[in-house]
Amino acid sequence: MSARRKYQGTTTFNSWDKCKTCKDKDNCNKINKNFTFKIILMDCEGFYYIFKELEKFVHFPTLTGDIEKYEQKLLEYEKKHENIPDLNSQMVVNGTLAVELALKSLLFKENGEFECIHNLEELFGQLPEPHKSILTDKIYKEAHQNAETMASNLSNISNLFEKFRYVFECDIIGYSNFLNNFIHIVCDYAISLKPKDDADNIY
């Protein structure tokens, strides 16, 4: 079985003869690494934004005890969604791609590379410290998980990006609220680390 392909950044400096002996090569590679980290996060932000908009749009009204108010919300929901196709698959695809990029950005930030895979469980397991511990603590608290439930839920959502792209191929498919919580927690954390200094501004 062949080794998995790894993404190691956009730079080819190490293969250029004129760069091999350059005194500024390390700094050049560092600048390129920061640039690539920021680009990955910008891509993540775009898919995350679409996910959040779709999440709000597809959210079904919940019964809070006031039947009349609930019925009114149902009518408003039906009117708002009239002649619009079901968008749950699109929401999941955008959300899982966003969180995949968030995880890959953290791997690239620390290691300068990541495996070209979609498996969220594996990517999370590969996270270096302190990111893995910080995110695990956040997931325990904000998504109401423990080690056992988190491991089970990560396994359940690990391949949803691939499954929901071709949902018609699956006999049965579903997901719990853990997915949405995981997407929000990981994406918000990774995006909070995006460089903001003028020196790192890519525009």
Side-chain angles (χ1 to χ4, degrees), residues 12-26 29:
T12 56
F13 295 154
N14 291 329
S15 63
W16 293 355
D17 288 337
K18 65 180 181 180
C19 295
K20 287 179 180 177
T21 57
C22 178
K23 292 183 291 185
D24 200 40
K25 185 178 78 169
D26 290 341
N29 282 333

Side-chain angles (χ1 to χ4, degrees), residues 125-142:
Q126 293 170 11
L127 282 179
E129 297 296 348
H131 307 300
K132 190 173 185 180
S133 291
I134 291 171
L135 284 170
T136 298
D137 287 344
K138 282 178 170 289
I139 291 166
Y140 284 177
K141 293 173 186 174
E142 297 173 31

Side-chain angles (χ1 to χ4, degrees), residues 14-70:
N14 291 329
S15 63
W16 293 355
D17 288 337
K18 65 180 181 180
C19 295
K20 287 179 180 177
T21 57
C22 178
K23 292 183 291 185
D24 200 40
K25 185 178 78 169
D26 290 341
N27 187 50
C28 204
N29 282 333
K30 182 182 177 184
I31 291 171
N32 184 75
K33 183 179 174 184
N34 291 339
F35 174 84
T36 303
F37 171 61
K38 191 167 184 176
I39 289 291
I40 297 169
L41 281 178
M42 288 175 65
D43 224 11
C44 165
E45 282 182 297
F47 289 110
Y48 185 42
Y49 175 83
I50 295 169
F51 164 76
K52 289 187 289 184
E53 291 300 305
L54 288 171
E55 183 183 39
K56 286 186 287 187
F57 185 77
V58 304
H59 180 70
F60 199 76
T62 53
L63 179 60
T64 57
D66 188 330
I67 299 295
E68 288 186 13
K69 193 173 182 180
Y70 177 67

Side-chain angles (χ1 to χ4, degrees), residues 70-127:
Y70 177 67
E71 289 176 346
Q72 180 60 37
K73 285 185 177 180
L74 281 177
L75 291 172
E76 291 171 1
Y77 182 89
E78 289 173 4
K79 185 176 181 181
K80 185 178 179 181
H81 292 77
E82 189 177 7
N83 299 320
I84 293 176
D86 179 78
L87 297 172
N88 278 284
S89 291
Q90 289 71 27
M91 180 190 71
V92 173
V93 168
N94 278 277
T96 51
L97 182 52
V99 76
E100 175 187 321
L101 290 168
L103 292 168
K104 286 178 175 177
S105 74
L106 297 173
L107 286 162
F108 187 82
K109 176 178 171 60
E110 303 304 333
N111 302 336
E113 64 180 26
F114 56 77
E115 285 190 302
C116 298
I117 58 175
H118 298 302
N119 190 297
L120 299 180
E121 182 182 20
E122 287 192 46
L123 290 170
F124 189 86
Q126 293 170 11
L127 282 179

Side-chain angles (χ1 to χ4, degrees), residues 186-199:
V186 176
C187 287
D188 287 340
Y189 173 74
I191 291 168
S192 75
L193 302 178
K194 190 173 76 169
K196 296 179 176 65
D197 296 337
D198 290 340

